[in-house]
Amino acid sequence: QDTAQEAQEITHKYTDYYYQRKSLFAEMPVTSDDIVFFGNSLTNGGRWHEIFNNPNIKNRGIVGDIVQGLYDRADLILNGQPKKIFLLIGTNDISHHVGADSIAKALDKLITRIKKDCPNTQLYLQSLLPYNNDFKRYKNLFGEEMTVLQGNVLYEQVARKHNVPWINLFPWFADRECKLRKELTNDGVHLKEDGYKIWRDEVAKYVAPGMTFTDGELYPIDNDDIVMLGGTLVGYAEWHELMDMPNVKTRSLGDVCDYIHASAKKYAAGKPKKMVMLSSYNHDKNNKKVNVSANFSVDTIVISMEKAIKTVKEVSPETEIILQSIIPVNSSYEKYAQFKEAGKKLKKANKELKKLAKKYKVTWVDLTPALADENGELKAEFTNDGYHLMGKGYIAWRNALKPVLAQ
């Protein structure tokens, strides 16, 4: 079996998303007042500052990350000397067929560094969670169930060696066969809200001693909140941090404009102060699997956004709606090469959206001057895949939007 270090060397680099998130984190320094959740997609998927109602709780999870990946970006956390770090990592190492011994050694190296560089930071090591192959979603995890069990035995030994509190989450998530409980997941690995409630309840005494929770929604919206609603461009950022506004809440949906009205209705029910909407593109008519398509329909985008605006106005008349222009794509990337011929159509879509904003008396924010180059494409320095943003891109977006949110 490969070592954890070799697993990284085989892939030569991390995912595009890893570098997008890492560059975003570089723009949002951690401080000594912060509590950091540090890990992979399981951590990434939790809105920890909302769960504990504490803006000093920072999510530093990255989908797909491995132990070495955490080590390679640890300086962005350790430089800030945070108050506490909650560490959960290893599932993706297992999916790369790295053995429990090698993962534990890599973890030992990571914890040694954290303890050395941040002697006053309280570190907590959380166990690996079970997964459930009955969903048949993650083939690289087939037959690796024992690695999780072996890993947790070794993880606890590492925790004891470094005098780090050990939080064994595994029993709370496992069924009688040591599989992730089916009611807590929809893919066999990642958690639904009830899963995050269990996780919250198990770490609460370390995060916020004495804090109690109701049985209601995990992520409620109320009338002081500003909801950021859109696709992955919205969802990949920590908007409350970017804006330095704890009442900004990120609510992401898939990269298809057609569904935005349903999400708008759901979140408008909380009567938020403001709803900030970003349209995406829509399905390729000839290939429904392609979400961000140069074959997008201007009419579909406008109809979808009009439906969303009308829905919010009906459900929550007092909510201020802010409509943003569609963010351009950089066609120099092969995946988005077809967008080279779509510039005029994008201009038309944004022109129609601006008319829509005027018709319904909602605030219009044109992001094009902040994010587009002289050819109307997404600036090269703002992306590493042609569509999604690096940290500098999010800063440019924030600078264009924040004056409107602060009003």
Side-chain angles (χ1 to χ4, degrees), residues 34 70 108 221 290 347 389:
D34 291 337
L70 265 56
D108 182 84
I221 300 290
V290 178
K347 280 185 180 179
L389 298 178

Side-chain angles (χ1 to χ4, degrees), residues 170-188:
F170 187 95
W172 300 99
F173 290 88
D175 63 17
R176 291 180 180 179
E177 297 179 343
C178 290
K179 297 177 182 179
L180 179 58
R181 289 160 50 190
K182 284 188 175 180
E183 70 272 18
L184 302 180
T185 183
N186 59 8
D187 66 4

Side-chain angles (χ1 to χ4, degrees), residues 324-394:
Q324 303 169 101
S325 62
I326 301 172
I327 292 176
V329 171
N330 188 303
S331 68
S332 66
Y333 290 81
E334 183 179 355
K335 185 176 180 181
Y336 301 109
Q338 287 183 315
F339 275 87
K340 195 170 185 67
E341 309 301 325
K344 287 184 179 178
K345 193 161 62 166
L346 178 58
K347 280 185 180 179
K348 182 182 178 185
N350 281 329
K351 186 177 179 181
E352 294 301 316
L353 289 175
K354 186 177 180 180
K355 287 182 185 176
L356 204 62
K358 185 176 181 181
K359 176 181 176 181
Y360 288 97
K361 297 182 172 59
V362 305
T363 304
W364 171 251
V365 178
D366 186 3
L367 301 175
T368 305
L371 297 175
D373 62 19
E374 63 276 10
N375 298 314
E377 298 209 345
L378 182 60
K379 289 181 180 177
E381 64 267 29
F382 288 168
T383 186
N384 67 345
D385 68 0
Y387 179 62
H388 297 101
L389 298 178
M390 301 292 281
K392 297 291 185 189
Y394 277 111

Side-chain angles (χ1 to χ4, degrees), residues 104-255:
K105 285 176 184 174
L107 181 70
D108 182 84
K109 174 184 163 189
L110 173 61
I111 291 177
T112 298
R113 179 180 174 192
I114 293 171
K115 297 281 281 185
K116 176 177 176 289
D117 292 354
C118 290
N120 297 318
T121 295
Q122 178 61 67
L123 175 64
Y124 300 87
L125 179 59
Q126 302 165 102
S127 69
L128 292 161
L129 299 188
Y131 59 89
N132 192 320
N133 272 330
D134 293 346
F135 288 81
K136 301 187 180 345
R137 176 80 178 269
Y138 297 100
K139 294 180 180 178
N140 284 347
L141 287 171
F142 287 6
E144 294 285 359
E145 289 83 357
M146 281 302 298
T147 311
V148 175
L149 298 175
Q150 293 164 355
N152 279 334
V153 171
L154 297 174
Y155 275 30
E156 186 173 8
Q157 292 174 8
V158 172
R160 286 179 179 172
K161 172 184 173 182
H162 291 281
N163 196 27
V164 168
W166 165 246
I167 303 175
N168 188 10
L169 299 172
F170 187 95
W172 300 99
F173 290 88
D175 63 17
R176 291 180 180 179
E177 297 179 343
C178 290
K179 297 177 182 179
L180 179 58
R181 289 160 50 190
K182 284 188 175 180
E183 70 272 18
L184 302 180
T185 183
N186 59 8
D187 66 4
V189 171
H190 300 101
L191 301 177
K192 291 157 61 173
E193 277 200 15
D194 284 348
Y196 281 102
K197 285 181 179 179
I198 293 172
W199 192 346
R200 172 199 69 189
D201 292 345
E202 291 311 303
V203 299
K205 61 186 174 184
Y206 306 104
V207 177
M211 189 172 185
T212 57
F213 306 97
T214 65
D215 290 332
E217 286 184 62
L218 190 62
Y219 307 117
I221 300 290
D222 63 36
N223 58 16
D224 189 47
D225 290 335
I226 297 171
V227 176
M228 294 285 298
L229 183 61
T232 55
L233 288 172
V234 171
Y236 283 4
E238 304 290 322
W239 283 101
H240 62 291
E241 279 193 69
L242 276 170
M243 295 293 182
D244 194 23
M245 299 169 71
N247 62 326
V248 173
K249 295 187 174 178
T250 305
R251 296 295 183 265
S252 177
L253 59 149
D255 277 320

Side-chain angles (χ1 to χ4, degrees), residues 217 219-225 227 229 249 251 260-275 277 308-321:
E217 286 184 62
Y219 307 117
I221 300 290
D222 63 36
N223 58 16
D224 189 47
D225 290 335
V227 176
L229 183 61
K249 295 187 174 178
R251 296 295 183 265
I260 195 166
H261 66 275
S263 295
K265 182 177 182 179
K266 176 181 178 180
Y267 299 122
K271 314 293 184 187
K273 183 178 180 181
K274 300 182 182 185
M275 177 95 64
M277 294 194 285
I309 290 169
K310 289 169 72 174
T311 298
V312 175
K313 284 184 168 290
E314 288 167 7
V315 175
S316 182
E318 299 302 314
T319 296
E320 179 189 345
I321 300 171

